[in-house]
Amino acid sequence: MHVCGTRIYERRNQKIFFGEWKVSKLLGFSEVQNDYSNYPEGHDIIGNHMLINENAFSSEGLANYERYQCKVSNPTYEVLDIKYDYPIYYVNESVKEDTELYNMIMNEEFQELEIKGKGNCTQAVQIMISADNQLVILTMNGEYYLLAKIQ
């Protein structure tokens, strides 16, 4: 795993990233690619799974969205410099009601996790992270979803 920063940061990120993830909540939509008019509740992927580990990355568990299903063998991961500050323009009402989550999303600086390797990716999903609060966010079609690690 290649990560910007120190080796301590790298070990910390491995602990955060590696594992199976479940799509747990629609956070909202981007300003530019607002899908709200077509998918007011987001795409139907809540409960779908993704895998991020040393040997493979897989978004094949995103049921019903074949173009976003991807598998990469022996991936390398790189956390890019801070890319997003307040990326979610249209915040979902359920997030606004959860004050703690809403404040984290509005006050965090997010970085993109770049995934490289051999695989069958045509249009991969994007993953954003916040090391401060250990938020992992899936971006798909201008929609933002919170990922929850499956223990």
Side-chain angles (χ1 to χ4, degrees), residues 91-106:
V91 178
N92 193 349
E93 290 302 317
S94 67
V95 174
K96 289 179 181 177
E97 293 169 6
D98 183 343
T99 307
E100 184 179 356
L101 178 59
Y102 181 77
N103 287 335
M104 278 193 279
I105 290 169
M106 294 300 115

Side-chain angles (χ1 to χ4, degrees), residues 105-135:
I105 290 169
M106 294 300 115
N107 295 310
E108 289 294 321
E109 293 177 329
F110 292 96
Q111 297 171 283
E112 190 172 333
L113 179 65
E114 187 171 88
I115 304 159
K116 295 180 181 178
K118 293 183 181 180
N120 63 348
C121 300
T122 54
Q123 181 167 349
V125 296
Q126 294 178 316
I127 306 290
M128 292 186 337
I129 57 122
S130 163
D132 292 343
N133 287 299
Q134 301 181 2
L135 294 176

Side-chain angles (χ1 to χ4, degrees), residues 5-6 16 19 21-22 33 35-36 46 61 63 70 82 95 100 120 132:
T6 66
I16 293 169
W21 295 87
K22 176 177 79 170
Q33 297 175 338
D35 235 357
Y36 183 77
I46 302 298
C70 170
I82 293 171
V95 174
E100 184 179 356
N120 63 348
D132 292 343

